[in-house]
Amino acid sequence: MDATQLVKGVLDLAVLAVVAREDGYGYDVVRRLRAAGLEDVGDASVYGTLRRLYSAGALTSYVVPSDEGPHRKYYGINAQGRDALASQGKTWAAFAQTMAGLLDEAGVKA
């Protein structure tokens, strides 16, 4: 199974979860997703997801000056984003439980 396709399906949820723990700028969010085990996540996919979630009203943003280059645009989660995180998290948990049951019935150890 291609993990890249799975990541695309849950990238919104993953980005919301990362930003819910701590605000972050684009590459910081990419780095934290990769450190969490989503090694195949693409930079462009995460940047696009951050912009889309911001445009949809789920994230706030602010700019912080950087001594190491251009200013960094940080993203933070807001109430709408937390609602989306909770809703999508419940959907994911139910889906994962269903898949675990199917795999268990098939004799596959996860």
Side-chain angles (χ1 to χ4, degrees), residues 4-5 17 19 25-26 43-44 57 64 67 74 77 83 86 88 99 102:
T4 304
Q5 292 301 316
V19 177
Y25 57 93
D43 295 12
V64 174
D67 294 334
Y74 277 74
I77 197 166
D83 289 346
Q88 292 177 25
M99 288 304 302
L102 288 170

Side-chain angles (χ1 to χ4, degrees), residues 37-72:
L38 300 178
E39 294 94 3
D40 294 333
V41 71
D43 295 12
S45 295
V46 173
Y47 284 98
T49 298
L50 286 166
R51 284 190 300 272
R52 192 171 31 72
L53 289 170
Y54 174 77
S55 294
L59 298 177
T60 60
S61 72
Y62 55 95
V63 176
V64 174
S66 173
D67 294 334
E68 301 171 3
H71 300 322
R72 292 184 174 150

Side-chain angles (χ1 to χ4, degrees), residues 11 14-15 18-19 21-44 46-47 50 72 74:
L11 191 54
V15 167
V18 165
V19 177
R21 285 189 311 234
E22 181 181 0
D23 294 358
Y25 57 93
Y27 186 71
D28 178 52
V29 173
V30 170
R31 183 188 55 74
R32 289 193 276 160
L33 288 168
R34 289 178 179 159
L38 300 178
E39 294 94 3
D40 294 333
V41 71
D43 295 12
V46 173
Y47 284 98
L50 286 166
R72 292 184 174 150
Y74 277 74

